[in-house]
Amino acid sequence: MIYFDFNATSPLHEAVLEAMVPYYRNFYGNPSSLHRIGRISRDAVEAARIQVAGLAGASASQVVFTSGGTEANSLAICGLADVLPPGQILVSPIEHSSVLEPLKALSETGWTVRFMELTDGGRVCERFLESAIDPETRFAVCMIANNETGVIQDIQRIAEQFRDLGIPLHCDGVQAFGKIAIDFSASRFSFMSVSAHKIGGPKGVGALVFDKSVRLEPLLKGGGQEKGLRGGTENVAGIVGFGVAAEIAQRNLGENANHLFRLRQRLEQGLKKLPSITIFCKQEKRLPNTVMFGVGGMDGEMVVMELDRKGIAVSSGSACSSQDTEPSHVLLAMRVDREVARSAVRVSLGSTSTETEVDQFLVVLQNLVSGAHQKASGY
Ligand code: PLP
């Protein structure tokens, strides 16, 4: 099988699994317990916090563990909304559903959600922000890199516009984390969500990295865990796995990015030779592992299913919304024609992807596209 869907999830690193097993098998203590076996778990959680903070460019005391990127996004958004008077929230229209859905719920309780304008390349228009920020603007949300197109925002500049006015900015860093360098402390954003399973860690673990000067109400209130910001007994083994995955990602960041960039170039050169392929956002700064393209005259979901029959796993957009028949909201927000958007396919590579796999993928895709063209022209 060729797995080219790393933005949906990534396989667990062997070293991560090995690090996790003892915390299921032997070290089952509750991190809140005072006894020795409890302290072993607590120490493991704190060691993982340092590892995750290291990859985020933050200090360990700025990391709160959650059940994943979705919960971290909700914690930032609902946690801010709980301590601020209702007003305007500015958000980019290309966010993941775990950002858009809580905002939709807030819009039904007196909040005004205003979408940021985008360039055709999928980047936030900075000039729009200048006119949209007003005294009613309570906070803003903008992802660092998009899960579908891979487009990387100039998040530093966006953050400066908000920070200078004292307006908190929450950044969804789930796709950027571990793929490009992030320096939370040097950045000027207030919160950043990250997730373990996108970087070779386990599913169901994530974190919110936060600026301690911004107040936040916990989503889950309980036993005071995570400095009162996230109640509930910690997922010790999962957190340990997240820590190891973060450390591996940090160690290999530069080398991995180069490997992925080279593979993506090979893939895009191959795609350009095929008829009726449009690579989206190809002029933009993108994650080194991500390519989204349209296959003219074909339905993206059909292409995904045909590739699956040949043993190749890709996505027709965001994996989390692959049940949707609507074209990608990300492409529509970039004013891509509906039919072209419907033909979108996303390939997301990973550290274990190879040139041979890229070449095999291109051959299979070429056969698929030329078969469809022959059918359409009646041959
Ligand atoms: N944010 C983005 C940009 C994502 O791509 C995803 C998952 O695909 C999430 C958030 C949700 O993360 P999790 O699966 O850890 O809940």
Side-chain angles (χ1 to χ4, degrees):
M1 202 233 335
I2 297 178
Y3 185 76
F4 278 174
D5 203 12
F6 281 79
N7 285 9
T9 195
S10 60
L12 202 69
H13 282 301
E14 196 54 40
V16 168
L17 182 61
E18 273 170 30
M20 289 171 70
V21 168
Y23 292 90
Y24 287 120
R25 197 167 268 155
N26 313 107
F27 306 129
Y28 45 78
N30 186 322
S32 299
S33 299
L34 294 178
H35 45 63
R36 190 171 166 272
I37 186 110
R39 284 200 311 275
I40 292 175
S41 292
R42 189 156 66 250
D43 290 349
V45 168
E46 294 317 314
R49 205 184 302 282
I50 294 170
Q51 291 165 313
V52 171
L55 183 59
S59 72
S61 59
Q62 293 177 294
V63 172
V64 51
F65 286 116
T66 65
S67 66
T70 299
E71 188 191 322
N73 281 335
S74 261
L75 173 57
I77 292 166
C78 304
L80 276 171
D82 267 358
V83 295
L84 295 168
Q88 173 172 260
I89 305 168
L90 287 172
V91 60
S92 92
I94 54 171
E95 296 297 307
H96 188 260
S97 52
S98 58
V99 162
L100 294 176
E101 289 302 315
L103 288 178
K104 194 167 149 209
L106 286 178
S107 73
E108 284 154 15
T109 61
W111 287 82
T112 306
V113 176
R114 185 163 175 202
F115 288 110
M116 298 173 184
E117 274 176 20
L118 287 189
T119 66
D120 290 348
R123 296 195 347 144
V124 170
C125 287
E126 284 170 38
R127 244 182 298 139
F128 163 81
L129 289 183
E130 280 163 24
S131 60
I133 300 172
D134 67 20
E136 289 296 299
T137 306
R138 303 284 182 253
F139 66 93
V141 189
C142 184
M143 65 200 332
I144 301 176
N146 186 262
N147 44 307
E148 298 188 22
T149 59
V151 168
I152 301 170
Q153 299 292 336
D154 194 346
I155 203 71
Q156 212 61 4
R157 302 228 353 209
I158 294 171
E160 271 159 26
Q161 298 205 34
F162 291 103
R163 194 63 177 251
D164 289 347
L165 298 166
I167 298 170
L169 170 69
H170 167 55
C171 296
D172 181 333
V174 167
Q175 292 294 342
F177 189 62
K179 294 183 189 136
I180 55 172
I182 298 175
D183 189 346
F184 184 84
S185 299
S187 78
R188 296 177 47 96
F189 35 93
S190 314
F191 300 99
M192 177 175 73
S193 50
V194 297
S195 177
H197 72 102
K198 310 287 184 184
I199 60 163
K203 293 169 183 60
V205 194
L208 186 69
V209 185
F210 62 98
D211 171 349
K212 284 188 269 181
S213 68
V214 184
R215 215 160 76 79
L216 201 63
E217 187 67 17
L219 260 188
L220 302 179
K221 299 171 182 73
Q225 290 92 346
E226 297 296 287
K227 297 199 182 70
L229 275 174
R230 204 272 185 180
T233 302
E234 295 87 342
N235 171 4
V236 178
I239 289 171
V240 166
F242 190 11
V244 174
E247 194 178 303
I248 294 172
Q250 192 173 8
R251 203 167 45 234
N252 301 333
L253 193 67
E255 198 185 311
N256 248 341
N258 288 339
H259 168 66
L260 292 168
F261 186 69
R262 272 197 301 273
L263 282 187
R264 195 187 76 185
Q265 272 186 317
R266 189 179 185 93
L267 175 59
E268 291 189 349
Q269 270 154 16
L271 287 174
K272 279 185 205 149
K273 292 187 194 134
L274 301 186
S276 348
I277 298 273
T278 315
I279 300 175
F280 298 114
C281 312
K282 66 171 181 292
Q283 309 301 346
E284 301 295 330
K285 199 167 155 203
R286 284 172 293 148
L287 293 174
N289 76 321
T290 309
V291 186
M292 198 181 206
F293 56 91
V295 189
M298 291 181 81
D299 181 81
E301 284 196 359
M302 281 299 297
V303 176
V304 170
M305 286 188 300
E306 287 299 325
L307 290 172
D308 184 43
R309 276 155 45 106
K310 307 269 189 252
I312 300 174
V314 297
S315 166
S316 62
S318 168
C320 311
S321 62
S322 60
Q323 305 300 318
D324 275 356
T325 45
E326 267 292 286
S328 147
H329 72 285
V330 173
L331 296 179
L332 294 183
M334 289 159 42
R335 297 171 285 278
V336 171
D337 173 84
R338 271 188 102 74
E339 281 316 300
V340 177
R342 225 179 260 288
S343 74
V345 174
R346 177 189 71 185
V347 170
S348 48
L349 309 163
S351 57
T352 49
S353 306
T354 63
E355 287 187 356
T356 313
E357 287 182 328
V358 167
D359 296 346
Q360 283 170 354
F361 168 79
L362 286 167
V363 170
V364 174
L365 186 68
Q366 177 167 26
N367 290 339
L368 205 71
V369 173
S370 45
H373 279 186
Q374 277 168 11
K375 232 192 240 167
S377 56
Y379 285 104

